Amino acid sequence: MIFFDGSSGPPFAATGIVHFTAANGDRLDCILTGTIDASLVATATYHIVGGTGLFANPSGHGDFSVRPNPDGTLSYTVTGTIDY
């Protein structure tokens, strides 16, 4: 879930909560802070704030970006570190 402030910009200030879920159901929770530009490309830094199962008691941070594709899907790029 990404929230952005449309009162100024672009780019628009954005914050988000992301839950990554592994095939076995274990989850990794992150907070994002960044921007969304007029073409709907979002760039952010993330901080890992929680998780379940294999990802219990995690820590880490990095960079996150998402961009729309012509077919309506999204492409994500995530780099950084995680300790669990």
Side-chain angles (χ1 to χ4, degrees):
M1 186 176 311
I2 296 177
F3 304 93
F4 67 93
D5 179 359
S7 65
S8 64
F12 305 101
T15 57
I17 301 167
V18 177
H19 305 287
F20 295 100
T21 305
N24 68 357
D26 293 350
R27 196 177 73 223
L28 184 65
D29 304 322
C30 301
I31 300 287
L32 305 168
T33 304
T35 60
I36 299 175
D37 70 16
S39 63
L40 300 180
V41 172
T43 57
T45 57
Y46 69 86
H47 295 277
I48 298 170
V49 296
T52 63
L54 177 65
F55 302 114
N57 302 311
S59 63
H61 65 279
D63 298 312
F64 176 90
S65 67
V66 60
R67 65 183 61 246
N69 297 315
D71 66 0
T73 61
L74 299 171
S75 292
Y76 297 89
T77 302
V78 180
T79 59
T81 60
I82 177 174
D83 293 307
Y84 57 95

